[in-house]
Structures are given as C-alpha cells and as structure tokens.
Amino acid sequence: MNLFDVYPLFDINIVKGQGCKVWDAQGQEYLDFYGGHAVISIGHCHPHYVEMMTSQLSRLGFYSNSVVNTLQQDLAQRLGEACGYPSYQLFLVNSGAEANENALKLASFTNGRTRVLSAQKAFHGRTSLAVEVTDNPKIIAPINNAGHTTYLPLNDLAAWEAELAKGDVCAVILECIQGVGGIKLASEEFAKGLEAACHRHGALLICDEIQCGYGRSGKFFAHQHLGIAPDIITVAKGIGNGFPMSAVLISDKIKPVYGQLGTTFGGNHLACTAALAVLDVMQEENLVQNAAEVGEYLIGKLKELALRQPHIVEVRGRGLMIGIELDIPYKEVRTRLLKEKHIFTGCAGTSTLRLLPPLCISRDDADNFINSFEEALMQQQ
C-alpha cells in the first residue's frame, strides 16, 4: 500500500528534536523557524513535557468521556487563569478544524441562524463547515459548498456592518492575524467595530486562535491586542506541543445542552497531560513574554534588513508570527534557507515567507536567521 499523495515533500526525514532544533536521519542539524506549522510552542522534546507524558502513559493513556476525568477539570481551571477567561467554558476536541466545526455548530444552535461571515483569504480548516468558511475554492468540494458563507475584505468594517444589519447572520469567524492569508493583521478599529455590530444584530463572534493564539502573538491570544472579547474562541496547534488536541472556549452566556456536542478522543488523558505540561513550561519560562520580546527584536531586524535589501516588500506580524513579503517567488529563497543554511521556514501565497518558530527561540537564533536570510536574498541578485 502507498500513501495517498496529497503533499509535496522535502526529501528530509526528521528523526530528532530538542528545543528550537531538529535533526534528520543523516545527523544534519536544522534551526526550526517553522515550528511544525506553529504547533511546537514550548520547544521540541522539552524534558518536563516528556516526563509528564511518559508518566501519564505508564498509568493510563485513554478512557472514554463517559466518566470523570479530573485532568480536564484541572486544564479548564489552569487555562482560564492563564488566558484571562476564567468564566468561560471549555470543550476539548482533537484538531483545529474540529474546533471550528463545533464553534460554528454551537453558534447556530444558539441563535438558530445559518449564515456566516468570513474574511477573504481566511483559512479555518478542511472539514465540512470549516472548509466552507475558508476562502479557497480549490479545497472546497461540491458537497461542502452549501452557500452559508459570505466572504468580506479584512478591515472593511462598513462591508461587515452592512451584512450584519440584514439580521440573518449566525456568526462571524475571524483570524485576528491571518496565517495562510499571508500574516495580515486585523486592525483595532475594525475588531472593536465588528464586535459591537455582532452584539447589535445577534450574531456570535468567533475568534479563530488556532495559529495566532497560545502566546504566539506576544499575548496569550492575538485578539487581546485589539481589546475585544469573543463569544467563542478556538485553539489548537500550540496547546499540545505536537500531541493532537484542540479546544473551544465558550462564553458563559452560552448554555450547554446535552447531546448537541460530543467527542470520543477529545480531552483524553494524554491530551490533557500534554496541555498541562505546555502551560507549566509557558508560565515557568515566561514564553509569552519571550515571544513578545524576541518577536519585536526579530521584526525590527527584518525591517532594518528591508532598508538595504530591495527584495523585501513588507514585514508584517506580531510576536513570533511573522510574514516577509518578497517581490520574488518565495520558493527559491525558502529552498536555499533549508538546503544551504539548514533553516526551516513556512510560506503563504506565492511570495510570503512565514516564520512560526517555537516560543522559546533566543535573540541569537533570530540573529542566525537574519544573517542566513540576507545571504540567501543576496544570491537572488
């Protein structure tokens, strides 16, 4: 049997990780500025994470959600305190797409509506509802194209207000920093106006924090830079540092009803242990603050580089979620960084490099990237 070929792959077999570095099967070391697609929050194979996961697995790896799991209760309390939403309710699932599916479903249960507003260039997942609110026709199958979604320009508040005023919008789903869309940032004016319009017209505001959340922006959630409080928040990626896990944070004004939502694997013992270990390390090592400080330093250095490097059109981002828009296709630069400088990076569109490193990177790591990136760009001239 062969694998179903859905991804173009670099011919590199990563077999080991530690902190912000990974190694391939030949022993070559790489600096990870991609974080496994923003998943690695506290660094690869953190000793505390490994110890907690190993200890839990030696006792119990899984039992169903038909019984009490005190790890879930511990996580709800710890996460509420860490993110600043202690009164919100927590529903645990397995992936970002699944979190968004359940958020949208819950919004529709709450107000009985079916229409959703989503941003142009948004990405919210590949499952049924999640892909329908994703602005990419190439990945929306005919069976998923049910006509529930209206896509609108990010930061065009008037356009969103006009649609909300029609009174039939179930929910607005928003990435406050678009990832796949090229690290585009929602403005504070737009976000506050959108929140107010949702309240006026009975729509629920969902903030998709799957990529931009969990400390990556330099605050626990990216929307906290904008002074808003969503009705529902979805998280994944960094919550488990590589263990499949996601969550839906739900305002206490939304009341649960038995049978509306459910999951087999969500919030299992290993997943909760992973999430608790992540919170331990984030707090003990001040990783949200580190993301803010090193991110600011890295963005500053990139903007300085843009002044002397004509191929850099714009540097965008917050914390350790950074986009570098180039006037040339990113592919050759990204490949050169990987093959010659041994640095992993991400991408968006055709001309934007995406930096999503673990939250524990240092200024020395940032300087290493800047020097290697400048050399890679100079080879394009």
Side-chain angles (χ1 to χ4, degrees):
M1 182 181 293
N2 294 319
L3 294 172
F4 196 51
D5 190 10
V6 296
Y7 299 114
L9 301 177
F10 288 111
D11 188 21
I12 300 172
N13 179 19
I14 298 300
V15 297
K16 176 184 171 184
Q18 188 66 53
C20 299
K21 296 178 180 178
V22 293
W23 287 261
D24 67 21
Q26 285 69 47
Q28 176 62 58
E29 178 184 295
Y30 299 82
L31 180 60
D32 186 5
F33 260 56
Y34 184 48
H37 201 75
V39 167
I40 301 301
S41 49
I42 62 172
H44 297 277
C45 299
H46 192 286
H48 179 68
Y49 180 89
V50 172
E51 180 183 359
M52 283 190 64
M53 293 293 281
T54 303
S55 177
Q56 179 61 48
L57 188 58
S58 71
R59 296 192 302 275
L60 179 67
F62 175 84
Y63 202 75
S64 82
N65 282 310
S66 62
V67 298
V68 171
N69 179 351
T70 57
L71 292 170
Q72 293 180 352
Q73 297 165 353
D74 292 346
L75 177 59
Q77 180 178 349
R78 290 278 308 282
L79 179 54
E81 293 169 353
C83 73
Y85 290 103
S87 68
Y88 276 46
Q89 305 155 97
L90 185 66
F91 178 61
L92 297 167
V93 279
N94 308 284
S95 70
E98 190 177 348
N100 283 334
E101 289 278 331
N102 281 281
L104 291 163
K105 185 178 178 182
L106 187 59
S108 187
F109 274 131
T110 299
N111 59 25
R113 301 174 185 176
T114 60
R115 196 157 74 96
V116 180
L117 304 185
S118 182
Q120 292 173 0
K121 305 299 182 183
F123 185 92
H124 298 291
R126 295 177 182 270
T127 54
S128 182
L129 278 170
V131 80
E132 190 180 348
V133 296
T134 291
D135 185 23
N136 183 352
K138 293 181 179 179
I139 65 171
I140 302 176
I143 198 171
N144 304 129
N145 192 11
H148 294 128
T149 306
T150 302
Y151 302 107
L152 299 168
L154 185 68
N155 291 326
D156 184 347
L157 180 58
W160 294 70
E161 287 179 327
E163 291 298 324
L164 284 161
K166 295 177 181 178
D168 63 345
V169 174
C170 164
V172 166
I173 186 166
L174 179 69
E175 302 163 278
C176 290
I177 306 176
Q178 291 187 329
V180 174
I183 316 298
K184 302 292 180 64
L185 280 66
S187 71
E188 182 175 351
E189 180 184 6
F190 169 73
K192 287 183 173 178
L194 185 60
E195 179 186 42
C198 285
H199 290 168
R200 284 198 305 273
H201 299 293
L204 274 71
L205 177 59
I206 302 169
C207 277
D208 178 341
E209 294 274 354
I210 287 161
Q211 187 171 139
C212 60
Y214 242 78
R216 180 154 297 281
S217 71
K219 289 186 180 292
F220 201 95
F221 290 130
H223 71 259
Q224 291 170 328
H225 290 278
L226 308 177
I228 61 173
D231 299 298
I232 302 175
I233 305 162
T234 57
V235 298
K237 295 190 184 293
I239 188 174
N241 201 55
F243 195 92
M245 189 182 192
S246 65
V248 187
L249 282 65
I250 305 157
S251 167
D252 57 2
K253 73 181 183 183
I254 301 171
K255 303 305 178 185
V257 176
Y258 282 168
Q260 285 186 344
L261 305 182
T263 175
T264 296
F265 296 106
N268 66 71
H269 295 74
L270 277 175
C272 287
T273 299
L276 287 165
V278 167
L279 287 176
D280 286 345
V281 176
M282 286 179 68
Q283 291 166 354
E284 289 169 9
E285 300 184 6
N286 297 313
L287 293 188
V288 178
Q289 182 69 19
N290 189 68
E293 292 175 356
V294 178
E296 182 180 15
Y297 175 79
L298 180 55
I299 289 171
K301 288 291 185 181
L302 285 166
K303 289 183 176 180
E304 290 176 10
L305 179 58
L307 296 176
R308 61 181 186 269
Q309 175 47 254
H311 287 310
I312 299 177
V313 175
E314 187 179 12
V315 177
R316 299 184 292 268
R318 282 196 174 102
L320 293 175
M321 187 171 181
I322 301 170
I324 309 167
E325 186 175 336
L326 306 174
D327 67 359
I328 53 177
Y330 69 78
K331 187 174 182 180
E332 288 187 22
V333 177
R334 186 187 184 203
T335 300
R336 187 168 288 123
L337 283 169
L338 182 61
K339 297 292 188 179
E340 298 178 14
K341 307 300 180 182
H342 308 298
I343 299 176
F344 275 100
T345 59
C347 58
T350 60
S351 59
T352 302
L353 279 179
R354 206 166 15 147
L355 308 184
L356 305 164
L359 308 186
C360 56
I361 68 163
S362 66
R363 290 194 177 204
D364 286 344
D365 295 323
D367 288 337
N368 185 348
F369 174 79
I370 290 291
N371 294 335
S372 297
F373 181 47
E374 182 169 18
E375 291 174 9
L377 286 176
M378 289 177 66
Q379 294 180 50
Q380 292 292 124
Q381 296 177 357

